[in-house]
Amino acid sequence: HVQLVESGGGSVQAGGSLKLSCARYGYVSRSSCMGWFRQAPGKELEWVSGINSGGGSTYYLDSVKGRFTISRDNAKNTVYLQMNSLKPEDTGMYYCAAARGWCTGVARSDEYNYWGQGTQVTVS
């Protein structure tokens, strides 16, 4: 059984920063991809970023490149999303997700096997 627990969301002003964390409980696979998705009110779920086990390969949505940084601490089974220079359009519920197999770039939600409950990010 795999459980993902997000934390770190909140409300910030435009230009501010937040760091999201996602703690993973349970084994996914030898090669695994951890990702972040977000969903703004009235909009579809959107992939934001992904990182492979080992942290060697990272991928970002074009609109967050240079502002967001994904990282992982395998010893702590935790993935992070550092979000800087936040904009109102970054507002949404952010979900952590895990996939069996490698990340390869922009992803669909159905490529991921496990999901967290989400953490709200509000930028005003």
Side-chain angles (χ1 to χ4, degrees):
H1 179 68
V2 174
Q3 185 179 12
L4 303 176
V5 180
E6 302 102 330
S7 61
S11 297
V12 296
Q13 292 187 337
S17 297
L18 284 173
K19 186 174 184 177
L20 306 183
S21 298
C22 172
R24 173 177 59 80
Y25 302 93
Y27 179 75
V28 177
S29 63
R30 184 179 181 87
S31 59
S32 65
C33 168
M34 296 292 294
W36 290 94
F37 286 74
R38 67 186 179 188
Q39 188 167 27
K43 295 189 176 181
E44 293 186 351
L45 191 65
E46 177 181 52
W47 172 83
V48 175
S49 183
I51 185 169
N52 282 318
S53 54
S57 299
T58 58
Y59 305 90
Y60 298 95
L61 182 68
D62 283 347
S63 62
V64 309
K65 284 180 181 176
R67 300 188 298 121
F68 291 11
T69 302
I70 191 170
S71 61
R72 64 193 294 169
D73 184 335
N74 287 333
K76 295 182 178 180
N77 292 330
T78 300
V79 174
Y80 306 96
L81 186 67
Q82 176 68 48
M83 305 186 295
N84 298 328
S85 302
L86 282 162
K87 303 176 181 181
E89 51 263 42
D90 294 318
T91 293
M93 185 70 78
Y94 281 69
Y95 298 92
C96 173
R100 295 186 291 267
W102 298 118
C103 304
T104 57
V106 177
R108 304 186 312 271
S109 59
D110 62 3
E111 294 178 43
Y112 284 77
N113 307 101
Y114 308 99
W115 292 83
Q117 81 289 350
T119 185
Q120 178 68 37
V121 171
T122 303
V123 185
S124 60

